[in-house]
Amino acid sequence: MRARQPAVETSPKVSDEVRQTTCYMCACRCGINVHLKDGKVAYIEGNRDHPVNKGVLCAKGSAGIMQHNAPSRLRAPLKRVGPRGSGEFEEISWDEALDVAVGWLKPIRETDPSKLAFFTGRDQSQSFTSFWAQNFGTPNYAAHGGFCSVNMATAGIYTMGGAFWEFGQPDWDRTKLFMLFGVAEDHDSNPIKMGIGRLKANGGRMIGVNPIRTGYNAVADDWVGITPGTDGLFILSLIHVLMQSGRIDLDYLARYTNAPVLLNCDPKSKMYGMFLRNAEGKPQVIDRATGKPAPFDKRGITPDLSGTLREAGITHKPVFHQMAEHFLSPDHAPEAVADRCGVPADRIRAIAAELARVAFDEAFELDIEWTDFRGETHAKMIGRPVSFHAMRGISAHANGFQTCRALHVLQILLGTVEVPGGFRFKPPYPKPIEAHPTPHCGASPNRPLDGPHLGFVRGPQDLALKPDGSPARIDKAFTWENPLSAHGLMHMVISNAHAGDPYKIDTLFLYMANMAWNSSMNTRGVIDMLTDTDDDGNYVIPHIIYSDAYSSETVAYADLILPDTTYLERHDCISLLDRPICEADAAADAIRWPVVEPDRDVRGFQSVLVDLANRMKLQGFTKDDGTAKYADYADYITRHERKPGIGPLAGWRLPAEGSGVGGSSSEAHAEGRGSPNPDQLKHYIENGGFWSQHIPEQAQYYKPWNTAYQDWAVSLGLFDSPQPYLFQLYLEPLRRFQIAAEGHGQRQPPDHLRDRIRTTMDPLPVWYDTTPPEQEAYPVHALTQRPMAMYHSWGTQNAWLRQLHGRNPLYVPTNLMRQHGLQDGDWARVTSPHGEIIVPVMEMAALNDNTVWSWNAIGKRKGAWALEPDAPEATRGFLLNHLIHELLPPRGDGLRWANSDPITGQAAWFDLKVRIEKAPDQTESQPAFEPLASPVGTGPKTLTWKVGK
Amino acid sequence: MHPAPSVILFSTLSGLGFGLLFWLGLGFPDVSGGVAFVFFAIAYSLAVGGLLASTFHLGHPERAIKAFSQWRTSWLSREGWAAVAALIVGAAFGAGLVYMDQRLAVLGWAASLLSLATVLATSMIYTQLRTVPRWNMPLTPVMYLAYALAGGALLAGQVKFAIGLLIVAGLVQIACWMLGDRALAGSGSTLATATGLGRRGAVRAFEPPHTGNNYLLREMVFVVGRKHAAKLRVIAIALAVVLPVALLMAPFHHVLAALAVLSHVAGVLTSRWLFFAEAEHVVGLYYGKR
Amino acid sequence: MTALPETTQRQLGLVIDLDTCVGCHACVISCKGWNTENYGAPLSDQDPYGADPSGTFLNRVHSYEVQPPDGAAQLVHFPKSCLHCHDAPCVTVCPTGASYKRTEDGIVLVNESDCIGCGLCAWACPYGARELDLAAGVMKKCTLCIDRIYNENLPEEDRVPACVRTCPAGARHFGDLGDPDSDVSKLVVERGGMDLMPEQGTRPVNKYLPPRLKDQIGTAPAAPMPDVTDQPGGFLGWLDKALEKL
Ligand SMILES: Nc1nc2c(c(=O)[nH]1)N[C@H]1C(S)=C(S)[C@@H](COP(=O)(O)OP(=O)(O)OC[C@H]3O[C@@H](n4cnc5c(=O)[nH]c(N)nc54)[C@H](O)[C@@H]3O)O[C@H]1N2
Ligand SMILES: Nc1nc2c(c(=O)[nH]1)N[C@H]1C(S)=C(S)[C@@H](COP(=O)(O)OP(=O)(O)OC[C@H]3O[C@@H](n4cnc5c(=O)[nH]c(N)nc54)[C@H](O)[C@@H]3O)O[C@H]1N2
Ligand code: SF4
Ligand code: SF4
Ligand code: SF4
Ligand code: SF4
Ligand code: SF4
Ligand SMILES: [Mo]
């Protein structure tokens, strides 16, 4: 018997309209198709044409609809009416809000702009916010990179002119062996997943180095469950084995790195350890053809890795000689490091052998001719199909800068950077350090700052110090304590401002950073600092302005809230001036635009900044006649020019006329360089929200040295002239700091830092132990990982995502479970030198034997995020942040050393060590905080979200 | 499985009701007129009450009629048909007894048969499920039938039959528990087969797919403590079988008989609670809960 | 319509690669999004912002640890949705005919307007692939995105399930497993695709590709690495010779 099958509507209408914009649930910035029905968001999917995600979308991206309709969304500007931290607010008008803000900011600007500290979190408009801060005149601006992964950024940029993060990627189509260090998720979320999928489909293999085997490490063919904080040792040992067996790419090293650059080898010389330079300051090498010294970039020369040059009585040898001595030291032998790394010596050797085998024995050639910066034409491009990627796992340690450096040196020794099958940069990288600014901190009343805040110091001369040697910045970035802090130190702002060290501030202006909760080390301490009052009963930090879109924990600690729209309701610009969406073979940038109108009294924060700038008549925002240059952010995106012809967006500019600078103009439009086009945003919208231009085929690899690439980059406006450079295996700027620490030069470090600078700022990568002595009583490493389906704190308000990760157990390795008599669901007391938490545990076998971990930022404060106070996030969820302090415990030397990398100031989140023991059953995770009053109430009891009924 | 009160009530009450109807159809006790009315009323309120209770757990009880459509394949549908048929035929037979003092024996036998068929169909709803190894065995329908017959006999005042059948039901019940305790292991379904990963090594459930709750966990991943279950088994047997048998063996008294019935019902309810609560659905394997 | 078709013209289904799935839950949420807005009643959520959030999902990603006899424990992410079984017990138990298996493509569907929400089909499914929606009172399950795969309002390349379209790692493949020449069938042969709980006799259409062998580097003795520093002149001696050869 066969009854009739019901008729199924197989071709229903999908939506009324699709609007294409850019996702915002993480820094990956995928293109999205927003399907609308009756003007409402009905469905979000990936944009197939988009360079970043090519149609795919992660869980957060697909759940954007729940982010957009979240009950935690702020509704109007808020003025605090209860004490700080109570969560008691009154809704006010925008006029009132902006008046209050100007009332605080204007007097500061007129007297001492450094009394404003303006710090932004996870936002993606840093070129704009920094422009605003620069025009305001305060030196105190940075984004959150200092506590995020500045080690990775800085080590990459100093070493090879570009970093991992989302600024480069493995040559996914061609790589055969991919080695991943310390990544749970990372910024390039979808591209990494797509890449791993492609690698595997092509028959490639993957090695994961991570104490925890989840996610990417779970699909890795080989897993190295390393002891946290020891990757540097492990990598130095891989280098040792490769050098010892001669399995390195000598040709590549000679041509493209500073391995042949001549180094002053006379310990008595003042220039000991510095490069031999010619009159123009160019580093010198020995030309193999002539045996004579020559500037590294002289046409036609072949630099020599061997040889000695005596000049003016001083012996100079290639950097490579010093590298050999350094890396071949028995200290770096596998047998010497195996125990500390938790990786058997045999395995280290086997991995080194495998890297070499794939790099050299599986090398291949592409028939693409290219010409290098010395004028030599190469008939082929040589592929070395080994690639690396790494992120916070090696970066967020106090030895992270040098560890990241070591990794870059490893990939360069294998000759696998910017070659087919290896690691490739994405425009605007590669870019030599010389093409980056140095930091600026010259503030004076009523004037813009004397230059960009953040930059790359070349030596002590570039530190941001006042004439008296005290820090110029509230976060003490670019000081002797952390000279290369290229992203600032957001994690120090509140504690320094509270301590009045180096000085007091008047207004703390935060944007999009949940500093009163998961973004801070020592959360309780930060809360106390934010609410602390002086003898007169005034808050120690007098004014706090905050822009958030949701009712986060930090909202409760601000005096004035500027409610933002959601990402679907505003203009944004993902710019080549900032963190664009380029691919290794294409330049690309993108926008967001209001695909739906806000249904409440909220405004895009960038437009609010423009408004504030206009009210204060900040220079860069004001025409000569005193009227405002820009109506709002969209207007700024279209018409702002950083330099003539270069604006926030590279696509659909206008040729020649106007500013008089034309680029590679097509018929009607110019790309990269060109004058502002009033219709630019319209073109972006028509093109799906992004613009991209492919890099010509012969320019796609060897970019730092490839004439075709350099010329292309100039034509696009990435540089004004070709900028070929060498990879810096030996980092001369570090040597300059060592020289200062040895007592030479004008600017001298304080005595207590001399030793540390000498040992940590080694110009060749080194490893040092970051386990402080007092941590003997805390034998277990404690880490966090980002869940792929949750974005820091903002994911949890999401009705769909919070069903996946609504609480976070502490994962404990099987051996420690047994040792402490723990079972799944039991509670454990976890103690660090700084504090204690009591949390539920869960067993995990695929985990380093001496490591516990949890998902990051699931734990929530009661009353925040429009969740019910008994939400599992607030009752069973927890933060490890309570155990981490921005300062290390006192050591009896009268000093409090920062819990940061001594070179970059990178917050050392993952240096945390703890002790665990079984605790009695609890009803709630400890510490439990008092609930906040919610300015937005709580969410509905059921959800049946369907727009098209 | 989640021991939902509606399903427990349903299977217990309708089992008793149809059990009683079975005996009535066969002419035990041989009653007519008002007395017959009372007996039939009891049988019908139990059977219909049970059926009504069963609709409480439906998402759309108003569509219940649709459940009659799939008698070719679905035991639930067959149960519906059998129940309705048993009730109609039984009603005709009962009407004869009550209003016409007529014993239409063929109708009675048909009603008895249909009653048994109903109980069988009910039991087959569970028995057919390979996903619940504890239910998926021939003894399950035997147990349902045994309880229905014993309970029916008890209600019908058939003391001798009742004693015998209660003892049989008790033995079947114990056998069910013993076999049932081994059923999951015997089913061959393990986390290794569920994931296909067994060839690699020992498989252990790590993170659940969601920290939030869901239908599957509520409905199928009910876990009852072993000690708790053992205690309830003793209570179930004591109430459903031992006590009623003892009471029946005592010199007959209406109060004792009523107590025996009450005890039996309470026992069967306990047994049915266990029937669900102890039933391990293989989906629990995926959640590491087996 | 609870009789199962003897054969179906096609056997559409998914092939899920356990070697590649990174456990990102993208497929879970895109499925939730699509099916909330499309086929039948929305997938509702109860107490979505409260203490006990719970909702209907048609696809969930588990994770398992596997401890091989020697070597490190491994972790496998494991997505699971309806397997569109040939011998689908969920269909035959359905009293109303709401559950059925389509003759043209083998997709197992619930006709929501016939469903009484008895839950029996979910009991019959060994895989936990069906969830009763508490707000709508009807049974929900993976539709294999029947309203996408034939949808003429979608561009041709988008006529695949939402979860497949979104999977960043490319761990989900969609196609006709009844056609031995289809890409999915070839993949199954090549990679030893397997059935889940074959002993349940459901004969799933969806197949799972097992993880590749792990932790192999260093298990077989490799050719020993030379030691160039052993030679006369040590490393620099070797270097000079090596440079000469360049
Ligand atoms: N223990 C531990 N702590 C850590 C880390 C760790 O690994 N372990 N990681 C650290 C790192 S790397 C980072 S980057 C930080 C991240 O921490 P945060 O940068 O604080 O990230 P979020 O928690 O996402 O908070 C950002 C704030 O932005 C708000 N927001 C969201 N969307 C919008 C919007 O459209 N407009 C505005 N104005 N606001 C919006 C959110 O509501 C939230 O309050 O955490 C750090 N903290
Ligand atoms: N889904 C999602 N995506 C995100 C974010 C998010 O919140 N959610 N946040 C974004 C942000 S702000 C950032 S900074 C990036 C960060 O992305 P990731 O760099 O992936 O950062 P984490 O999640 O902190 O993961 C750190 C990893 O390092 C490992 N690890 C810790 N210590 C060591 C060590 O000593 N050695 C090695 N080898 N590994 C170690 C940890 O086990 C963990 O796997 O992700 C971005 N992308
Ligand atoms: S990775 Fe996910 S959250 Fe991040 S931008 Fe892409 S889709 Fe959005
Ligand atoms: S997986 Fe479950 S719901 Fe799907 S066809 Fe098979 S038995 Fe039915
Ligand atoms: S819940 Fe609906 S689809 Fe499932 S068996 Fe019952 S009527 Fe059929
Ligand atoms: S095929 Fe469609 S309905 Fe099925 S799991 Fe994938 S997205 Fe969900
Ligand atoms: S989207 Fe793909 S990789 Fe992510 S969980 Fe689903 S199947 Fe796995
Ligand atoms: Mo970050």
Side-chain angles (χ1 to χ4, degrees), chain A residues 369-690:
Chain A
E369 188 181 87
W370 69 286
T371 304
D372 71 26
F373 65 109
R374 297 190 185 101
E376 187 175 339
T377 298
H378 306 257
K380 295 184 189 310
M381 292 182 167
I382 296 173
R384 300 223 179 278
V386 176
S387 57
F388 296 83
H389 185 74
M391 204 37 193
R392 293 187 63 255
I394 62 170
S395 174
H397 289 280
N399 57 18
F401 176 82
Q402 289 286 21
T403 299
C404 299
R405 284 254 305 136
L407 182 53
H408 294 317
V409 169
L410 170 64
Q411 42 172 359
I412 292 168
L413 284 171
L414 289 168
T416 184
V417 179
E418 269 300 327
V419 302
F423 170 78
R424 305 169 73 192
F425 296 114
K426 303 178 185 176
Y429 300 96
K431 192 158 125 180
I433 214 72
E434 291 72 26
H436 288 268
T438 54
H440 292 76
C441 59
S444 42
N446 262 327
R447 297 177 57 99
L449 199 72
D450 60 347
H453 302 87
L454 304 176
F456 290 81
V457 303
R458 313 340 180 201
Q461 70 278 10
D462 296 326
L463 293 180
L465 300 176
K466 289 186 176 170
D468 65 1
S470 68
R473 291 174 54 103
I474 187 72
D475 58 357
K476 304 192 191 174
F478 311 111
T479 64
W480 293 103
E481 284 186 40
N482 24 246
L484 272 52
S485 37
H487 289 178
L489 280 82
M490 189 162 181
H491 54 298
M492 299 306 294
V493 173
I494 292 172
S495 54
N496 291 354
H498 175 257
D501 171 18
Y503 47 77
K504 289 211 171 290
I505 60 164
D506 179 81
T507 299
L508 176 63
F509 189 177
L510 295 173
Y511 166 44
M512 233 183 124
N514 203 5
M515 295 304 291
W517 199 244
N518 50 291
S519 251
S520 279
M521 296 177 152
N522 179 20
T523 302
R524 170 94 261 172
V526 167
I527 288 173
D528 291 344
M529 293 174 205
L530 292 173
T531 50
D532 195 18
T533 51
D534 60 19
D535 296 341
D536 303 331
N538 299 317
Y539 287 116
V540 173
I541 300 174
H543 300 124
I544 301 178
I545 308 176
Y546 181 43
S547 168
D548 202 315
Y550 305 99
S551 175
S552 69
E553 284 87 354
T554 300
V555 164
Y557 292 90
D559 308 316
L560 176 67
I561 304 293
L562 306 174
D564 208 342
T565 64
T566 72
Y567 70 120
L568 297 177
E569 296 166 332
R570 64 170 177 250
H571 280 102
D572 257 322
C573 158
I574 298 123
S575 164
L576 280 166
L577 302 178
D578 196 332
R579 292 170 68 172
I581 56 160
C582 302
E583 290 292 285
D585 50 14
D589 61 14
I591 62 162
R592 283 186 201 92
W593 58 286
V595 295
V596 286
E597 287 302 318
D599 61 353
R600 58 192 73 209
D601 199 13
V602 295
R603 292 186 186 172
F605 177 66
Q606 286 88 348
S607 286
V608 171
L609 278 187
V610 172
D611 194 336
L612 284 173
N614 293 344
R615 285 169 196 246
M616 291 186 282
K617 296 199 182 301
L618 302 190
Q619 202 179 71
F621 291 84
T622 312
K623 291 186 200 156
D624 293 343
D625 65 3
T627 58
K629 264 193 190 168
Y630 310 113
D632 55 19
Y633 191 46
D635 195 24
Y636 167 92
I637 295 173
T638 333
R639 295 199 300 108
H640 175 68
E641 286 182 283
R642 207 30 78 89
K643 358 183 230 206
I646 304 290
L649 292 174
W652 296 284
R653 304 187 70 78
L654 291 178
E657 318 82 1
S659 64
V661 205
S664 56
S665 57
S666 59
E667 279 156 39
H669 294 123
E671 299 188 289
R673 294 169 188 272
S675 41
N677 176 358
D679 290 333
Q680 193 180 29
L681 293 177
K682 220 170 65 194
H683 286 288
Y684 271 81
I685 291 169
E686 282 165 11
N687 194 52
F690 68 94

Side-chain angles (χ1 to χ4, degrees), chain B residues 57 59-60 63 66-67 69-70 73-74 130-131 189 193 200 202 204 206-207 209-210 213-214 216 218-219 281 286, chain C residues 1-2 53-54 60-65 67 93 95-97 112 114-117 123-125 136 197 199 211:
Chain B
H57 86 282
H60 281 279
R63 298 179 187 159
K66 293 185 189 252
S69 69
Q70 302 301 315
T73 44
S74 163
R130 280 174 101 156
T131 51
S189 289
T193 68
R200 286 298 164 81
R204 192 177 82 88
F206 178 55
E207 260 201 321
H210 41 96
N213 211 336
N214 76 345
L216 300 171
R218 280 189 301 264
E219 188 77 2
H281 195 288
Y286 285 107
Chain C
M1 256 288 306
T2 52
S54 157
R60 309 242 187 202
V61 180
H62 295 249
S63 52
Y64 300 102
E65 281 188 330
Q67 178 64 64
V93 298
T96 65
E112 291 179 9
D114 276 354
C115 172
I116 57 173
W123 290 14
C125 170
M197 290 203 262
E199 70 282 357

Side-chain angles (χ1 to χ4, degrees), chain C residues 81-91 101 108 121-122 124-130 141-142 202 204:
Chain C
S81 52
C82 172
L83 309 165
H84 298 280
C85 309
H86 292 283
D87 293 338
C90 57
V91 168
K101 186 168 175 74
V108 174
C121 52
C125 170
Y127 309 107
R130 292 176 168 239
K141 68 174 294 297
C142 161
T202 54

Side-chain angles (χ1 to χ4, degrees), chain A residues 802-864:
Chain A
R802 71 183 288 263
Q803 293 183 53
L804 307 182
H805 295 288
R807 52 192 148 79
N808 54 314
L810 185 78
Y811 294 99
V812 177
T814 306
N815 61 311
L816 293 182
M817 291 290 283
R818 301 285 175 276
Q819 185 185 325
H820 295 283
L822 290 164
Q823 305 243 307
D824 282 2
D826 282 350
W827 294 73
R829 182 189 315 276
V830 186
T831 315
S832 78
H834 172 62
E836 150 187 320
I837 58 177
I838 305 178
V839 299
V841 297
M842 191 181 266
E843 178 179 341
M844 181 175 187
L847 174 60
N848 175 289
D849 270 353
N850 203 29
T851 299
V852 297
W853 70 280
S854 193
W855 295 120
N856 187 39
I858 301 296
K860 292 280 126 43
R861 177 92 178 254
K862 291 194 186 84

Side-chain angles (χ1 to χ4, degrees), chain A residues 754-766:
Chain A
R754 285 185 195 278
D755 258 358
R756 190 174 83 170
I757 290 172
R758 264 198 306 260
T759 52
T760 60
M761 296 187 77
D762 194 306
L764 285 175
V766 290

Side-chain angles (χ1 to χ4, degrees), chain C residues 85-114:
Chain C
C85 309
H86 292 283
D87 293 338
C90 57
V91 168
T92 50
V93 298
C94 176
T96 65
S99 273
Y100 64 105
K101 186 168 175 74
R102 285 162 50 94
T103 51
E104 52 273 61
D105 50 22
I107 295 177
V108 174
L109 274 187
V110 173
N111 175 5
E112 291 179 9
S113 53
D114 276 354

